[in-house]
Amino acid sequence: MLVPALLVLFFCLRGRAGLSPHFLQQPPDLVVLLGEEARLPCALGAYSGLVQWTKDGLALGGERDLPGWSRYWISGNAASGQHDLHIRPVELEDQASYECQATQAGLRSRPAQLHVLVPPEAPQVLGGPSVSLVAGVPANLTCRSHGDARPTPELLWFRDGVRLDGDTFHQTLKEGTTGSVESILSLTPSSHDDGATLVCRARSQALPAGKDTAVTLSLQYPPVVTLSAEPQTVQEGEKVTFLCRATAQPPVTGYRWAKGGSPVLGARGPMLEVVADASFLTSPVSCEVSNAVGSANCSTALDVQFGPILLAKPEPMSVDVGEDASFSCAWRGNPLPRVTWTRRGGAQVLGSGPTLRLPSVGPEDSGDYVCRAEPGLSGLGGGSAEARLIVNAPPVVTALHSAPAFLRGPARLQCLVFASPAPETVVWSWDEGFLAKGSQGRFLVETFPAPEGRGGQGPGLISVLHISGTQESDFNRGFNCSARNRLGEGGTRVTLGRRDLLPTVRIVAGVASAAMTLLMIITGVTLCCWHHSKASFSKQKNLVRIPGSSHGSSSQGPEEEETGSSEDQGPIVHTDHSDLVLDEERALETKDPTNGYYKVRGVSVSLSLGEAPGGGLFLPAPSPLRPPLYDFNPHLGMPAHCRLYRAQAGYLTTPHPRAFTNYIKPTSCGSPDLTPGTPHFPYAAFPTSSHTRLQTHV
């Protein structure tokens, strides 16, 4: 029973509370533009008493027209509880906090903030409306906004409707105490900015569209230069014309030309004519133009076509066997020349380009390598350069030919050594010893520089082992010639050949037999001619004494009696020398060169088989046992293994050691073509027209 009674009391009290004064509408915060009207609404319910407004706590009054506040009034139906505050026109002083109060009911509305917006004025650009700048020189443009604009305006820069920002332009804002603001635009103008229009705009919430101020740029700039060449691509030696064009403010005052940084003397004005060469490819032509503000230049390089020119030669190399080797050479040309690598004397192309690489070289890679560039389109230039590759390897030892030796005679063994690096030593060794230099017993070692070997093979040496008084064991054993350097050792075996005496004896016996036969023929011919030509021989024949004769002639002429008193002269024989005539048109006249002072006492004919290098007779030293056998072919110019025939060459001797001698060098070898009846030594077979006859008399 108690609970229902309490509920009835609660609803009764709640109904009486709903009739108490209350706000139906409270004033909100308001933003009003300066000079416009502001309206702050206020509505009360269940209240018919006094309503007033306060400004920052100051009561404005209870009348509807608010006397003392000419721009303020209260509107609305008071009976219905409507009490709106109006302000017109709004001024800056109206910006405050306002409350609607029901004084008798003790009600106060929420404070309503009134914000007064002041639109910015048109900004000012310092130096405008036309600002003079210098192209390329950094400059600042300043834009300021004055007045009590609220809120503080934003200053923006525009060009052709596009906002300027980013790296090119920089803006600085400065706010003053009086509400002024300043914007500084930093820029580096170019000649293209001449006549451009920049806009400074002041914008805020009070004036979203903002207000603009325009300024025009008037630029002074140094010359803007363009340089052209006609034609741009030329052959070396052709004429080229350069044309220099420039725009400038103020106007151009002068031109200056240079090539590769060096002034072109005598060049004035906007045009230059030259004859192109290869230097124009790397030394561009430049034109510098000046005016009162400054100067500017422009350069261009010609496309000059020319043949290859060698810039850098390949360098010689020395590498160890198994290592890599490389050569480089540089050629300059336009178009770029084609470079190939070959070995000297070879046609195979080993590579192309400025660098040749040889991996893991061996001794066979030693030699000269050629870097070759082909001529250009004009057919000029080109050429080659070479460098040597030396491959360091163990020595290469080769046995040289050694002449056979006689027993107990001298001998000579030789070996040829090529090595890079040079061998530390060359050693000869045999069964019981070795020798590197100097002498030891019967052995002597000498070393000489060798003629240059194959390219890149390294320096050569010839080592000679001399043996004096050869022994039987020297022919049966081998001699080792070895050499060593830091990379290894090389060697070869050399054997000594033996020469027997029997062939020499045969040659000596044959020569002696030939000499005796020749002497007998001469004696027989002389006697025959003396018997048949005794009467007519007095003025056209020589007196020849036959050695070994034991009796005199049976008859003597008058001329013979003058000189025939001496008994030791031997018999005098009249002989006809017609068989000694070598040229039928030039008969041999054996007149006495002493005009009778001497008589020719004997004749000896000797054919030598060679001449010594000095022009004398080639007479080798005899062996202590028997005369040695010598090979005369190198001295006579004969082919190897040439047999000597009596009719052409041989050793011909007579008992008389002093006589006249004729020698005709044989021109060929082979079997003599003798017809039947030809004498054993037909003198007519020796052509002598080109040789001077040597006569020796006693």
Side-chain angles (χ1 to χ4, degrees), residues 1 128 217 245 265 355 398 481 622:
M1 294 296 292
L217 301 182
R245 298 181 177 89
L265 301 179
T355 303
T398 306
C481 176

Side-chain angles (χ1 to χ4, degrees), residues 212-276:
D212 296 341
T213 298
V215 63
T216 302
L217 301 182
S218 176
L219 289 180
Q220 290 185 344
Y221 52 91
V224 178
V225 183
T226 59
L227 181 60
S228 62
E230 184 61 34
Q232 188 71 36
T233 301
V234 295
Q235 294 287 338
E236 189 174 18
E238 292 183 353
K239 183 180 292 186
V240 180
T241 301
F242 292 91
L243 184 60
C244 185
R245 298 181 177 89
T247 57
Q249 182 64 36
V252 173
T253 58
Y255 294 86
R256 189 170 66 174
W257 292 88
K259 176 194 172 187
S262 300
V264 179
L265 301 179
R268 296 290 185 271
M271 184 179 295
L272 174 67
E273 290 187 352
V274 298
V275 176

